[in-house]
């Protein structure tokens, strides 16, 4: 009878089981269990079967962790297979298996420290004193350095020891290892506050800094140095540009920040001179726009109207075209940080487009849409991580300090309110027209429109009106809500013209403007921000939460959280349905639709859409190539929304052929027994996962509760 732990028997059975189709779920049991794999591992060095065994290990380790199984029985086999990988001389197998280990979190947790220890000895420069190593050795050294960098970011290797390896690079290196060096330098500046000396190694690779040989180098060594300089020049300058951008975003002084941006542009000029690189051209165009904007704003003592911004529409359009046209090739992006770097490039493109659009469009009355600039810059900074592992707590502050005054203070603050009022007034006009065309009663809407037009006319006049005479005391006009009074700044006489208006209508208008202000707020309070981050962290596990879906879901989530937060603070005089015990789903529907129709989702929000999941969805928000669905409910029971299986399943049903992320918004009408205050915002937003008919991919639902049947603070006891 064959020995069940005979590696020859185990290997033969493994090979037979791998023929055709994916490996069976019980493959490890078939070949004798993990003990058999542990015995087999030493025989697999440089054998093709090693790659299959490592992939099987990664799959089963991840599944074991997901089900809460004991990883202890897997660990000895994992360590044995890791030894086989580290002992491989075949560069292809070494590369593939190291990548598998570094990419699988569970497996990295078991063997990461072991891999890091060996890679530290392998990651040293393969070329020393002009001696050229064979290509296979170059690949092993390069892969080891990159693995050490990835493991350091994940906490399985020493950052300082990694950076020490870079300091040992004393002369130009073969292209593949030089690529690993510049990638590691880029990673260091993405994740850590690296010392200035870390980037100096780039100068050695490119020849800007001469190597220090113990003896004068021969002619063939100098010739090879020149060859290596040319081979890595484009990649090195690309990394240098990104390092300077990271430094710029972390600068504490505006002048220093602009100097870093200038250095980044100089590096990009060299990249484009050396190679026809679309990524560098696009980034260069976006950086020029940002640099010009920051220069113009930082040199002004007061916020400037968008018409004065230095931002070229033509340049932005060119940057956008370049972003769509360039192809990612063998330019230092086709590696483990490629997706992240691509996201950075796309982010800079969006920023360039938005800067120029604002410059072109907002020369009218407003700067409030300039908030998108802050969002863009923050998104770029976040996306500049090479991994989704850490994010620095500092950085970007100086950029925001320059941009923020142009968005949120002085004239811009009043102009922002004016833009909200203008948009709201136009929205009312559209609703009046639609009501009349449908043959409906538009009298209430006409009254609201008349009030809005009166306030808008006076507010516009206040921006052009000369200031009040010196020494005249500033007084807020009586019966004018504070938010509307802000529109008139020092012009109390103009605000006083509104006192003849209906106080109820003025209060309602102020509430509508407050809604718009809250929806467009680029800096929501820490509670709203915290809830958003918590929900996004939950959605990361969704298979569909990738690419264009991420910003789409994020903006919908952001608007819904702000909606709930705003309704927690809305008074009965402006949203009476929130205090009625007999409010219904239609009340919530009308309110939420108005909220979504006032901002950036206005053109993409549709109601009562048929033929979705064999039914009719309440609200559909359209994005290029996909949709996001909102299911609305009014509920008078005390059952937690997480226990409302029927509601959740209905929400999931609209995902049958679309993105597997949906939103359930519930108006809770159950009256509290003791007239207690409403729940906290953090308790009103939650997340759940649904497995449909045993399908392999989970569906995700974000649940938001709007407290109804509320009690005013004075009635709480």
């Amino acid at each position: 009878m064959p020995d069940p732990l005979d590696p020859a028997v185990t290997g033969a059975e493994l090979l037979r089981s791998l023929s055709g189709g994916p490996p069976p779920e019980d493959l490890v049991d078939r070949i004798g269990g993990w003990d058999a794999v542990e015995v087999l591992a030493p025989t697999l060095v440089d054998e093709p079967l090693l790659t299959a065994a490592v992939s099987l290990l990664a799959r089963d380790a991840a599944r074991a962790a997901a089900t809460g199984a004991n990883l202890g029985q897997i660990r000895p086999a994992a360590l044995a297979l890791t030894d086989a990988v580290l002992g491989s001389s075949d560069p292809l197998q070494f590369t593939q298996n190291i990548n598998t280990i570094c990419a699988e979190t569970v497996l990295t947790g078991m063997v990461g420290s072991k891999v890091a220890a060996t890679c530290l000895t392998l990651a040293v420069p393969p070329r020393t004193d002009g001696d050229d190593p064979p290509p296979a050795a170059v690949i092993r050294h390069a892969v080891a350095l990159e693995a050490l960098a990835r493991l350091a970011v994940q906490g399985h290797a020493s950052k300082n020891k990694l950076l020490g390896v870079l300091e040992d690079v004393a002369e130009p290196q073969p292209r593949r290892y030089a690529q690993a060096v510049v990638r590691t330098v880029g990673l260091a500046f993405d994740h850590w506050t690296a010392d200035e000396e870390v980037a100096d190694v780039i100068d050695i690779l490119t020849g800007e800094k001469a190597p220090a040989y113990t003896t004068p180098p021969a002619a063939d060594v100098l010739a090879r140095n020149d060859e290596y300089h040319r081979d890595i020049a484009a990649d090195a300058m690309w990394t240098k540009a990104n390092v300077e951008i990271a430094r710029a975003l972390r600068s504490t002084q505006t002048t220093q920040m602009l100097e870093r941006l200038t250095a980044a542009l100089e590096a990009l000029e060299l990249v484009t001179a050396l190679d026809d690189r679309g990524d560098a051209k696009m980034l260069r165009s976006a950086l020029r726009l940002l640099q010009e904007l920051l220069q113009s704003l930082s040199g002004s003592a007061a916020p400037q109207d968008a018409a004065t911004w230095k931002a070229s529409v033509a340049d932005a359009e060119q940057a956008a075209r370049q972003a769509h046209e360039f192809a990612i090739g063998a330019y230092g992006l086709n590696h483990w940080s490629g997706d992240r770097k691509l996201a950075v490039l796309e982010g800079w493109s969006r920023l360039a487009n938005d800067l120029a659009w604002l410059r072109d469009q907002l020369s009218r009355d407003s700067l409030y849409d300039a908030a998108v600039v802050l969002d863009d810059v923050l998104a770029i900074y976040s996306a500049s991580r090479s991994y989704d592992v850490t994010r620095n707590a500092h950085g970007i502050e100086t950029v925001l300090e320059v941009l923020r005054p142009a968005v949120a203070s002085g004239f811009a603050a009043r102009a922002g309110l004016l833009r909200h009022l203008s948009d709201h007034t136009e929205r009312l006009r559209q609703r009046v027209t639609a009501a009349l065309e449908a043959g409906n009663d538009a009298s209430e809407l006409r009254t609201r429109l008349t009030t809005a037009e009166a306030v808008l006319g006076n507010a516009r006049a206040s921006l052009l009106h000369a200031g009040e005479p010196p020494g005249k005391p500033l007084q807020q006009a009586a019966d004018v809500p504070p938010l509307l009074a802000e529109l008139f700044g020092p012009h109390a006489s103009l605000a006083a013209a509104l006192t003849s208006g209906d106080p109820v209508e003025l209060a309602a208008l102020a509430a509508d403007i407050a809604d718009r202000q809250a929806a467009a707020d680029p800096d929501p309070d820490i509670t709203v921000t915290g809830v958003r981050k918590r929900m996004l962290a939950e959605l990361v596990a969704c298979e569909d939460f990738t690419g264009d879906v991420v910003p789409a879901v994020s903006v919908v989530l952001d608007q819904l959280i702000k909606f709930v937060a705003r309704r927690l603070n809305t008074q009965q005089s402006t949203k009476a349905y929130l205090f009625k015990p007999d409010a219904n789903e239609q009340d919530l529907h009308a309110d939420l639709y108005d909220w979504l129709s006032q901002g950036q989702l206005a053109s993409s929000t549709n109601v009562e859409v048929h033929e979705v999941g064999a039914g009719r969805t309440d609200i559909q928000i359209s994005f290029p190539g996909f949709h996001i669905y909102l299911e609305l409910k009014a509920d008078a029971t005390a059952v937690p929304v997480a226990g409302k299986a029927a509601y959740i399943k209905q929400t999931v049903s609209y995902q049958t052929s679309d993105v597997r992320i949906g939103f359930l918004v519930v108006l809770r009408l159950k009256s509290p027994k003791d007239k207690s205050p409403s729940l906290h915002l953090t308790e009103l937003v939650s997340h759940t996962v649904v497995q449909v008919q045993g399908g392999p991919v989970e569906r995700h639902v974000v649940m938001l509760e709007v407290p109804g049947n509320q009690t005013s603070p004075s009635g709480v006891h």
Side-chain angles (χ1 to χ4, degrees):
M1 180 177 179
D3 183 351
L5 295 183
D6 184 345
V9 174
T10 304
E13 182 60 31
L14 175 60
L15 189 58
R16 278 195 300 271
S17 301
L18 291 174
S19 57
E25 299 288 332
D26 61 345
L27 177 54
V28 173
D29 293 334
R30 290 187 188 184
I31 62 177
W34 290 110
D35 289 342
V37 174
E38 181 183 2
V39 174
L40 172 67
T43 70
L44 298 182
V45 177
D46 285 330
E47 292 294 329
L49 199 56
L50 176 60
T51 299
V54 172
S55 297
L56 181 63
L57 170 67
R59 185 197 73 174
D60 285 15
R63 289 180 178 176
T67 59
N70 181 17
L71 293 174
Q73 60 180 345
I74 302 177
R75 185 169 284 104
L79 292 171
L81 284 172
T82 300
D83 282 333
V85 170
L86 296 172
S88 298
S89 59
D90 183 328
L92 181 61
Q93 281 209 39
F94 185 73
T95 301
Q96 186 170 345
N97 292 322
I98 287 291
N99 284 338
T100 298
I101 292 173
C102 291
E104 296 295 336
T105 305
V106 176
L107 186 53
T108 304
M110 288 194 288
V111 303
S113 298
K114 182 181 185 66
V115 173
T118 301
C119 284
L120 181 62
T121 63
L122 290 174
V124 297
R127 186 185 191 227
T128 57
D129 291 330
D131 294 331
D132 293 311
V138 172
I139 294 174
R140 279 174 56 82
H141 285 251
V143 172
L145 177 58
E146 292 177 351
L148 187 63
R150 299 167 74 176
L151 293 170
V153 170
Q154 297 178 63
H156 300 295
S158 167
K159 174 190 74 173
N160 294 329
K161 290 181 179 179
L162 168 67
L163 299 181
V165 173
L166 299 181
E167 293 179 1
D168 291 336
V169 179
E171 62 182 318
Q173 297 292 323
R175 176 178 170 78
R176 180 63 186 90
Y177 185 79
Q179 280 183 325
V181 171
V182 296
R183 292 169 182 173
T184 302
V185 170
L187 178 142
F189 279 89
D190 277 348
H191 286 277
W192 308 309
T193 309
D195 295 334
E196 300 290 323
E197 292 78 12
V198 173
D200 289 348
V201 67
I202 295 178
D203 295 336
I204 294 175
L205 295 176
T206 59
E208 187 172 337
K209 182 177 180 180
Y213 290 113
T214 54
T215 58
D220 62 328
V221 172
L222 295 176
R224 187 57 58 86
N225 285 353
D226 289 339
E227 178 185 341
Y228 290 159
H229 294 159
R230 291 191 298 271
D231 286 346
I232 198 58
D235 281 341
M237 289 299 102
W238 167 259
T239 297
K240 196 164 189 175
N242 280 275
V243 165
E244 294 298 344
I245 292 171
R247 286 170 167 169
L249 295 181
R250 296 170 184 172
S251 296
T252 57
Q253 298 177 351
T254 304
T255 54
Q256 186 182 57
M257 174 183 62
L258 290 170
E259 289 174 0
R260 296 299 192 192
L261 290 177
T262 299
L265 284 167
E266 290 174 353
L268 289 172
E269 292 289 349
L270 290 172
V271 175
T272 54
L274 292 167
D275 205 346
D276 183 22
R277 292 185 56 156
D279 52 357
K281 291 178 181 177
M282 189 276 293
L283 182 57
R284 182 183 60 184
S285 298
L287 283 182
R288 282 174 175 168
L289 284 168
L290 178 62
Q291 183 190 48
E292 290 175 355
L293 174 65
L294 294 175
Q295 285 173 335
S296 64
L297 292 179
S298 62
S300 173
Q304 301 178 31
D305 188 278
T308 68
W309 290 9
K310 291 186 66 176
S312 165
V313 178
D315 287 348
E317 291 174 346
Q318 179 186 18
R321 284 194 302 270
Q322 290 169 340
H324 288 294
E325 291 172 0
F326 84 85
I328 302 300
Y331 297 125
L333 288 177
N334 56 336
H335 62 292
W336 34 265
S337 68
D339 291 342
R340 269 316 216 175
K341 289 303 181 187
L342 181 56
V344 176
L345 294 175
E346 291 173 345
W348 283 113
S349 174
R350 286 193 301 271
L351 172 62
N353 240 355
D354 287 339
L355 287 176
W357 181 84
L358 292 168
R359 165 64 179 82
D360 187 50
Q361 297 294 320
L362 301 186
S363 57
R364 38 185 184 160
D365 301 317
S366 172
L367 283 177
Y368 91 96
D369 271 331
V372 300
V373 173
L374 303 184
D375 292 339
D376 284 338
V377 176
L378 286 170
I380 292 163
Y381 183 68
S382 177
S384 67
R385 312 305 80 186
S386 294
Y387 292 95
D388 297 312
V389 178
T390 64
R391 179 178 176 184
N392 288 337
H394 65 283
I396 206 71
E397 288 87 353
T398 305
V399 176
L400 296 185
E401 285 175 3
V402 175
L403 292 176
R404 195 183 305 277
V407 179
S409 65
F411 168 82
R414 291 176 58 210
L417 285 173
L418 183 61
R419 183 74 266 143
H420 290 309
L421 175 59
S422 177
D423 288 346
H424 179 64
T425 304
E426 180 59 31
R427 168 76 174 150
L428 286 173
R429 290 195 189 101
Q430 295 172 358
R431 293 182 64 184
V432 168
T433 301
L436 293 175
E437 290 177 349
N440 298 327
D441 181 15
S443 57
E444 181 180 348
L445 287 173
R446 282 183 181 277
T447 301
R448 294 169 61 185
L449 176 60
T450 299
T451 301
E453 288 177 334
V455 176
L456 178 61
N458 281 275
R460 281 179 169 162
S462 75
L463 290 178
L464 304 175
H465 198 277
E468 299 288 0
K472 183 175 180 178
L474 300 180
Q475 296 180 345
Q476 180 179 318
D479 299 323
V480 176
L483 184 61
L484 296 185
E486 288 182 30
L487 284 164
F488 301 92
H491 307 293
S493 59
L494 286 170
L498 301 180
T499 57
S500 60
D502 185 343
V504 175
E505 289 297 329
L506 289 174
L509 177 61
D512 289 336
I513 302 306
D515 276 357
R516 286 184 174 270
Q517 190 177 48
D521 185 5
D523 296 308
D525 61 49
I526 58 173
T527 303
V528 171
T529 302
V531 173
R532 182 201 302 125
K533 288 182 177 179
R534 176 164 56 85
M535 288 300 100
L536 291 175
E538 296 282 3
L539 292 173
V540 165
C542 179
E543 187 172 298
D544 289 345
F545 195 65
T546 184
D548 292 339
V549 174
V550 174
V553 169
S554 298
V555 72
V556 174
L557 175 65
D558 185 62
Q559 288 300 302
L560 292 179
I561 295 174
K562 288 178 179 178
F563 173 75
V564 176
R566 176 72 185 139
R567 291 299 169 258
L568 282 172
N569 297 288
T570 302
Q571 293 180 269
Q572 185 173 0
S573 58
T574 54
K575 293 296 176 184
Y577 83 94
L578 295 174
F579 296 81
K580 292 180 178 179
D582 59 347
N584 56 37
E585 181 182 319
Q586 185 57 37
D587 294 321
L588 173 64
H589 195 291
D591 189 18
L592 180 55
Y593 178 66
D594 275 349
W595 175 277
L596 295 173
S597 298
Q598 67 191 357
Q600 55 189 310
L601 298 175
S603 61
S604 55
T605 301
N606 306 297
V607 296
E608 301 291 349
V609 180
H610 293 256
E611 301 291 331
V612 178
R616 181 185 63 188
T617 183
D618 288 329
I619 294 180
Q620 176 199 71
I621 303 178
S622 301
F623 296 93
F626 62 94
H627 309 85
I628 294 173
Y629 299 100
L630 280 57
E631 177 62 21
L632 277 55
K633 295 291 182 184
D635 186 87
T637 73
V639 178
V641 67
K644 293 290 184 179
Y647 295 172
I648 295 171
K649 288 180 180 178
Q650 185 174 350
T651 305
V652 166
S653 67
Y654 300 124
Q655 304 172 7
T656 51
S657 61
D658 225 312
V659 172
R660 285 163 289 202
I661 299 173
F663 294 86
L664 170 62
V665 187
V666 180
L667 176 64
R668 302 310 300 260
L669 298 170
K670 178 66 176 178
S671 178
K673 294 179 180 180
D674 58 355
K675 294 295 182 181
S676 61
S678 295
L679 294 173
H680 192 263
L681 177 64
T682 56
E683 301 169 293
L684 297 174
V685 184
S686 56
H687 165 271
T688 190
V689 174
V690 179
Q691 205 85 31
V692 178
Q693 297 181 5
V697 181
E698 299 170 330
R699 313 280 185 89
H700 289 248
V701 177
V702 176
M703 303 171 291
L704 303 101
E705 301 174 66
V706 180
N709 197 9
Q710 294 183 33
T711 303
S712 63
S714 60
V716 170
H717 55 79

